[in-house]
Amino acid sequence: MATITSSTWHVADLTDCGLPARDAELSTLPAEGVFAALTATKNGHCFLDWQLFRLALSVFARVSASRSNVATVQRSVLDLEAQTALELQMNLESTNYFAEALLHDALDARDRLPTVFSTMRIGLIDRVRFHNIAAETALVTDEAIMARLDQLIAAEILGLRGGFTALSVAKTRQMARRMVAEHDPDAERRERDNAKAGRSVGFQDLDNGMAQLFLTATAEDVRLVRQMLDAVIAGRCPEDPRTKTQARSDAAIALLQRRQFSCTCDSDGCTAQISDVELDARAARIVVHVLCDATTLEGGDKCGYLDGHGPISAAHVREIAARGDAVIHEHRLDDLLEPAPASASDTAERPDEAALHRRAPRPETPDERRGDDPRPPAGNGGEPAAVIAKTALPSDPYRPNLLTDLIARFLWGTCSIPGCERAAFACDLDHVAEFDNVRPDLGGPTCVCNLLPKCRYHHLVKTNLEGFVDDLWIDSNGRYHSSVTTPMGQTVEVLAPNQWLIPRLAYLRCTHQLAGEHAVGTASGTVEDAPRRARPRTAAKYARRRAERKANHDRRLAEEAVRQQEKAALAAIIDDYGEPPF
């Protein structure tokens, strides 16, 4: 008879791993202790994923050793992988799909990505991130290239190629995709061809009278469709009760059925702007941005970057360029440059960035600002042949010129706040050190060294959350770094993930960098200055519940009224003709 073994994790002493004692009252821990425990828990999760892979491989080895004729077994549907997956499925109480995926990832860790696998042990990536890396490198067949990719991806994770950076799940996959595109373009192209062949429309029935429609298409087409749906729902009035996702669903159905999308506010004073003319005006502004090296369009293998999606192969870039609706613009970094380096002494006496108009005082030291080791010095890395100087519009020093705007957005790819994947071209372009509209020469400059894309929400956070510190600097190797420090003292640092798109940028210096400056931004407003909710979050939740209860009540009364009408009609028939013969 099977026995259930109780877990001993809850009584184990994990203080050596950075976790609080099991009887510790978390409310008494300082904030630093709570965040350290969170980090330790994340590291432990990665370590346990590493251990899970090793155990899966051990089960596979034992199953293999138990079979005398492996070659014959491997031709069977019930091969060694299937037998191992069955053992894992039973033990982990999982699905067969989960068990097979676990085993395949473990085999990739052993055979294809051993160095990347080792980073799981020290808490840098978990199984989800490893799986994404394995999926992106699956079509690399050359052993030497695979070994090289294993080393390069691990170096990126370890921060050995320019500095440590926070890697979200999406950015981990994009990094691996870029590495494959650079070192084995054939693998990326085969994946692209296979993916295009798999484009489809699918349908699935759900509960409660609902169903799901899903569409698989090229990344650029899906990006255009999403922006089109957002353009449609932008015409709703503020009183429309639907969430964005609900409104997008209604808009998609309306477009497919060729009928008018309508506001559902039921208000006499509805201000919705959903006419065809108004929609056409919004749709005319829909653009999907792609950046690539000029040699890519001429047949080169350098991959490009699709805003809202990530790195794409050179062949994919050329496919987009060949579209009838594609517009190609050529940009040159030389348009930002002046012929000789600016003198650092010209700006050495400038006061602290935006110090005259910040409400919160700027901390004096990097340790106070970021809560960890001081950043590398901004040094100029040698005298450049030219410097970046022409970055703002001549008519408006607050506005970046087109090339500066493009560089700032493509350099970071998404909202610059770690973990936010909002596409850069759907973000605001924020001056890290606040621009001084009265004395522009005293405020934060309009330059690639002071501009970060931020989604509207995180822009609001940076502006109005006291204690939130935003930082941007360029190290001596020309690498762009940003970091944020939360009001509770957590600091997360990020390397610009897309500097590979503009490699020459690392060899150029701007006038502010030559002067030894870097950009630091703190809240210029307060939480009280931030936009107000119509009602508190909890009150809104209860209001939605009350509205749903009322709708259920009204529907029940209406259904009861229909039933009463049906009963009355049946009674009238009986009066006229007698009891029915059934």
Side-chain angles (χ1 to χ4, degrees):
M1 177 180 293
T3 59
I4 298 176
T5 304
S6 61
S7 170
T8 58
W9 280 93
H10 64 291
V11 296
D13 183 3
L14 300 176
T15 53
D16 288 343
C17 299
L19 294 177
R22 60 177 180 270
D23 56 350
E25 180 57 51
L26 297 185
S27 61
T28 64
L29 291 179
E32 294 81 1
V34 172
F35 292 130
L38 278 171
T39 300
T41 302
K42 183 269 295 181
N43 293 344
H45 174 70
C46 297
F47 174 80
L48 290 176
D49 279 346
W50 174 81
Q51 191 69 272
L52 190 62
F53 278 17
R54 294 180 68 231
L55 293 170
L57 289 171
S58 178
V59 174
F60 180 72
R62 293 166 190 266
V63 170
S64 301
S66 69
R67 302 301 174 188
S68 57
N69 192 342
V70 172
T72 301
V73 170
Q74 287 301 83
R75 288 196 295 270
S76 168
V77 173
L78 300 177
D79 58 12
L80 297 177
E81 286 84 352
Q83 295 176 44
T84 304
L86 176 64
E87 300 293 341
L88 295 174
Q89 177 185 353
M90 295 297 104
N91 185 270
L92 298 176
E93 301 176 10
S94 68
T95 63
N96 178 257
Y97 175 83
F98 176 89
E100 285 193 345
L102 169 62
L103 178 59
H104 292 160
D105 283 346
L107 291 172
D108 277 339
R110 184 192 68 182
D111 301 332
R112 294 168 56 82
L113 294 161
T115 313
V116 172
F117 179 40
S118 68
T119 67
M120 295 175 67
R121 181 172 179 267
I122 58 177
L124 294 182
I125 63 170
D126 56 12
R127 186 196 161 196
V128 173
R129 288 169 172 79
F130 181 91
H131 176 80
N132 284 342
I133 293 171
E136 290 297 334
T137 57
L139 293 181
V140 178
T141 56
D142 186 283
E143 292 184 2
I145 294 176
M146 190 64 240
R148 176 64 174 159
L149 286 172
D150 179 38
Q151 296 291 327
L152 289 173
I153 294 172
E156 192 90 8
I157 295 169
L158 290 164
L160 301 179
R161 303 184 72 219
F164 178 75
T165 183
L167 284 172
S168 67
V169 173
K171 286 186 171 58
T172 302
R173 184 160 202 151
Q174 290 176 10
M175 177 263 291
R177 185 187 308 152
R178 168 173 58 87
M179 294 283 191
V180 171
E182 289 180 351
H183 294 275
D184 191 0
D186 288 340
E188 213 282 340
R189 286 192 189 120
R190 286 197 298 272
E191 182 185 54
R192 167 76 176 151
D193 293 340
N194 293 339
K196 282 186 66 178
R199 62 190 184 277
S200 63
V201 174
F203 312 90
Q204 181 178 354
D205 290 329
L206 304 176
D207 295 333
N208 302 315
M210 301 295 288
Q212 190 174 48
L213 164 69
F214 45 92
L215 170 73
T216 304
T218 62
E220 62 273 17
D221 280 333
V222 170
R223 183 79 180 140
L224 286 168
V225 168
R226 176 168 180 170
Q227 291 190 60
M228 185 64 199
L229 293 178
D230 284 344
V232 173
I233 70 173
R236 298 177 299 155
C237 84
E239 302 302 320
D240 191 304
R242 293 170 294 188
T243 65
K244 270 193 171 182
T245 52
Q246 291 170 340
R248 285 192 188 110
S249 173
D250 292 346
I253 295 299
L255 289 174
L256 288 171
Q257 295 181 351
R258 298 187 178 183
R259 56 180 173 81
Q260 183 76 33
F261 174 78
S262 59
C263 184
T264 60
C265 68
D266 295 328
S267 171
D268 294 336
C270 179
T271 58
Q273 298 178 340
I274 51 181
S275 70
D276 290 342
V277 173
E278 290 161 332
L279 178 58
D280 288 345
R282 291 194 295 272
R285 296 193 293 269
I286 293 176
V287 178
V288 171
H289 297 269
V290 179
L291 182 69
C292 71
D293 190 272
T295 59
T296 300
L297 296 179
E298 299 168 359
D301 282 335
K302 291 185 179 179
C303 55
Y305 189 90
L306 172 61
D307 177 57
H309 176 72
I312 58 176
S313 70
H316 191 175
V317 171
R318 289 189 286 271
E319 284 180 23
I320 295 175
R323 288 173 58 123
D325 56 356
V327 179
I328 300 174
H329 296 284
E330 182 179 351
H331 301 281
R332 298 174 57 84
L333 277 178
D334 290 345
D335 294 339
L336 297 180
L337 307 181
E338 60 182 21
S343 172
S345 62
D346 293 341
T347 52
E349 300 302 320
R350 286 176 58 184
D352 171 45
E353 307 98 330
L356 299 179
H357 54 264
R358 282 202 197 99
R359 297 187 186 182
R362 175 190 174 194
E364 294 296 326
T365 69
D367 286 347
E368 292 173 339
R369 285 195 296 272
R370 299 173 53 243
D372 61 359
D373 296 332
R375 72 180 62 80
N380 60 22
E383 283 297 310
V387 296
I388 298 172
K390 305 169 185 177
T391 55
L393 293 176
S395 58
D396 184 356
Y398 175 76
R399 301 289 179 188
N401 58 34
L402 177 59
L403 185 51
T404 302
D405 184 286
L406 291 173
I407 290 174
R409 294 183 190 276
F410 275 114
L411 191 61
W412 300 95
T414 63
C415 172
S416 60
I417 300 301
C420 183
E421 300 299 333
R422 183 76 168 172
F425 281 87
C427 292
D428 300 333
L429 205 53
D430 172 50
H431 286 72
V432 177
E434 192 174 354
F435 184 83
D436 192 322
N437 288 286
V438 178
R439 289 287 306 277
D441 58 313
L442 298 180
T446 300
C447 181
V448 289
C449 72
N450 190 46
L451 293 172
L452 287 176
K454 288 189 179 68
C455 69
R456 189 60 53 87
Y457 170 72
H458 284 119
H459 196 172
L460 183 69
V461 168
K462 179 266 175 94
T463 303
N464 293 290
L465 187 59
E466 302 95 323
F468 186 93
V469 181
D470 196 20
D471 207 348
L472 169 61
W473 72 98
I474 309 166
D475 65 25
S476 57
N477 294 315
R479 294 295 300 262
Y480 283 67
H481 302 247
S482 74
S483 72
V484 295
T485 301
T486 68
M488 297 191 72
Q490 289 195 93
T491 298
V492 181
E493 190 172 304
V494 177
L495 271 168
N498 292 337
Q499 197 158 348
W500 59 272
L501 283 167
I502 321 168
R504 188 184 170 202
L505 193 62
Y507 301 99
L508 304 175
R509 302 294 182 266
C510 68
T511 54
H512 318 98
Q513 186 186 5
L514 290 174
E517 300 175 8
H518 59 266
V520 178
T522 58
S524 57
T526 65
V527 171
E528 288 73 18
D529 297 328
R532 313 298 292 174
R533 295 180 183 273
R535 53 169 68 97
R537 191 190 299 266
T538 302
K541 177 174 65 177
Y542 290 153
R544 287 194 298 271
R545 290 176 178 174
R546 288 194 298 269
E548 187 171 353
R549 285 177 59 85
K550 182 178 183 303
N552 290 341
H553 178 74
D554 293 344
R555 182 168 55 251
R556 182 169 52 81
L557 291 180
E559 291 171 352
E560 180 63 26
V562 170
R563 284 195 295 270
Q564 293 299 330
Q565 291 173 0
E566 291 173 346
K567 285 182 179 180
L570 181 59
I573 292 173
I574 291 173
D575 288 343
D576 292 339
Y577 302 102
E579 290 289 340
F582 48 79

